[in-house]
Amino acid sequence: MGFIKRMNILPPTSQKVFLNTDPLVNAEIKKQTIKNLKVYKNCSEEELTDRIWQLGQEWDTERILEATASAFLVVCSLLGVKIRRLGFILTGAIGLFMLQHALHGWCPPLPLVRKWGIRTAEEITGEKMAIKMMRGDFKERNASVEDLLKMVEKQ
């Protein structure tokens, strides 16, 4: 792993989608997140808790791509049984695209998914943490590491 790190071949997992997204799209997604946060700036604790729950339900780019690829794999596998070669070629192509995404953070549908405003898990977590700060979850300065972890995990 040290060799790969030194060679800088693979992007960090938490940044792979962001680094492979058009900067204008990234800026638009961030702008929307800031707009969302402004809506909740002076809300009640209950409303903030509801928003945190909503953010927990939001599908991120990885889940969208995994669900879409899986659905296409099932269809293409069935085509492989009926049409033979074409279905299996498509199955292989989808597998290669998902491997490319896992390693480098890019695959053919990613630009479209990002233009639709689908956020990464890190982007969703960023909004969630800001809402938790608004709710006052992190007021305790001398909390134990276990208590800090509970604050982060609290819905």
Side-chain angles (χ1 to χ4, degrees), residues 112-125:
L112 183 59
V113 167
R114 294 293 280 167
K115 281 185 183 179
W116 288 339
I118 306 298
R119 300 188 289 177
T120 64
E122 289 75 20
E123 291 164 336
I124 296 167
T125 299

Side-chain angles (χ1 to χ4, degrees), residues 65-76:
L65 292 171
E66 290 166 359
T68 304
S70 297
F72 276 109
L73 283 172
V74 169
V75 169
C76 290

Side-chain angles (χ1 to χ4, degrees), residues 72-125:
F72 276 109
L73 283 172
V74 169
V75 169
C76 290
S77 295
L78 293 173
L79 285 175
V81 171
K82 293 288 185 186
I83 306 175
R84 305 225 184 226
R85 188 176 240 169
L86 176 64
F88 293 130
I89 289 171
L90 292 172
T91 300
I94 293 167
L96 285 173
F97 291 154
M98 290 312 296
L99 179 61
Q100 181 180 12
H101 178 72
L103 296 175
H104 298 285
W106 185 87
C107 62
L110 182 67
L112 183 59
V113 167
R114 294 293 280 167
K115 281 185 183 179
W116 288 339
I118 306 298
R119 300 188 289 177
T120 64
E122 289 75 20
E123 291 164 336
I124 296 167
T125 299

Side-chain angles (χ1 to χ4, degrees), residues 115-152:
K115 281 185 183 179
W116 288 339
I118 306 298
R119 300 188 289 177
T120 64
E122 289 75 20
E123 291 164 336
I124 296 167
T125 299
E127 182 176 340
K128 189 185 286 189
M129 295 308 290
I131 296 284
K132 288 181 178 189
M133 288 173 156
M134 288 179 201
R135 191 171 65 176
D137 288 10
F138 306 111
K139 288 181 181 174
E140 179 62 44
R141 290 188 174 265
N142 297 321
S144 69
V145 291
E146 292 85 3
D147 288 340
L148 289 171
L149 185 58
K150 284 179 188 174
M151 289 178 210
V152 170

